Amino acid sequence: MNVIPFRRRAVPPPDDLDIDLYTAVDVAIRDLRDIAEHCDDAGRRLAEDCRRMLERAYAAESETSAV
């Protein structure tokens, strides 16, 4: 099993952080892109697959919401 260590944030997010789903998915997409840069081939493929899945879901929901 491959364990991907996450970088610790310099400043932890506040406990009362309230973000919407779109923002959370957008941040996750960017984080996955960053994570993929620091992984071996298997981890990179997994992170990229997950990122693409989130991008498709985000785009589909954005199109549905725009109608």
Side-chain angles (χ1 to χ4, degrees):
M1 175 168 67
N2 238 353
V3 177
I4 301 171
F6 291 97
R7 291 176 280 162
R8 293 212 175 263
R9 295 187 187 272
V11 177
D15 290 336
D16 62 345
L17 182 65
D18 188 25
I19 61 173
D20 60 274
L21 186 56
Y22 285 112
T23 303
V25 171
D26 185 50
V27 170
I29 289 168
R30 285 185 278 139
D31 284 352
L32 283 166
R33 189 174 294 125
D34 291 342
I35 290 167
E37 292 178 7
H38 297 67
C39 293
D40 61 10
D41 287 338
R44 187 174 1 273
R45 282 192 304 272
L46 182 60
E48 289 297 323
D49 288 347
C50 188
R51 181 186 57 80
R52 283 190 294 271
M53 180 265 313
L54 285 173
E55 287 175 339
R56 285 191 306 270
Y58 186 90
E61 187 61 29
S62 295
E63 289 174 10
T64 302
S65 297
V67 174

